[in-house]
Amino acid sequence: MGAEITRCHIYYYDAQGNRISSLDRSLFVYVLVPPLEDEGTEGVSWTVEIFSSEVQDYFSSHGITAGQVLLVFEGEDSAGHAVSYRTSVNISAAMPDTEVAVPEVSNSSSCQSCQ
């Protein structure tokens, strides 16, 4: 079952797992994820800048050398059910150019008639 992703929430954590809520961001996006059962369908990728100069400045000024970013992609599947896909990425001040792809979408609908 495909999906339309319309929001991306980005949450930052330091190396000890403490959330840095002042860096949280929410983006309005539009990513169309085709149904996985369609033969020949290619995956979807979308690049999110997660280590912006603001994040880099915050890490530097607070002596943070590494942390983690949680990305939560939200939208609706083709049947109109809310979907949420999560992925996390370890980040380091030493390697700011990290790219993240939209997490792989699976048919995880809670609606039994849609499965």
Side-chain angles (χ1 to χ4, degrees):
M1 179 167 300
E4 289 184 356
I5 304 301
T6 55
R7 288 171 305 286
C8 175
H9 303 286
I10 306 169
Y11 305 104
Y12 292 86
Y13 297 85
D14 65 18
Q16 288 73 42
N18 301 309
R19 186 167 164 193
I20 308 168
S21 58
S22 63
L23 295 176
D24 290 354
R25 293 189 291 154
S26 291
L27 307 172
F28 291 101
V29 301
Y30 183 77
V31 179
L32 181 61
V33 180
L36 293 178
E37 58 270 5
D38 288 355
E39 270 189 52
T41 300
E42 293 187 23
V44 174
S45 70
W46 182 67
T47 302
V48 180
E49 181 184 14
I50 58 173
F51 207 76
S52 65
S53 59
E54 176 187 2
V55 173
Q56 191 169 9
D57 290 346
Y58 184 94
F59 271 45
S60 177
S61 67
H62 289 82
I64 301 171
T65 57
Q68 189 173 57
V69 178
L70 172 65
L71 295 109
V72 180
F73 297 91
E74 298 177 333
E76 289 187 352
D77 66 16
S78 340
H81 301 104
V83 293
S84 179
Y85 306 102
R86 297 170 175 256
T87 191
S88 61
V89 177
N90 292 324
I91 57 173
S92 166
M95 45 185 274
D97 294 331
T98 303
E99 288 188 7
V100 179
V102 174
E104 192 170 310
V105 178
S106 62
N107 185 358
S108 58
S109 171
S110 60
C111 174
Q112 295 302 317
S113 63
C114 297
Q115 294 185 13

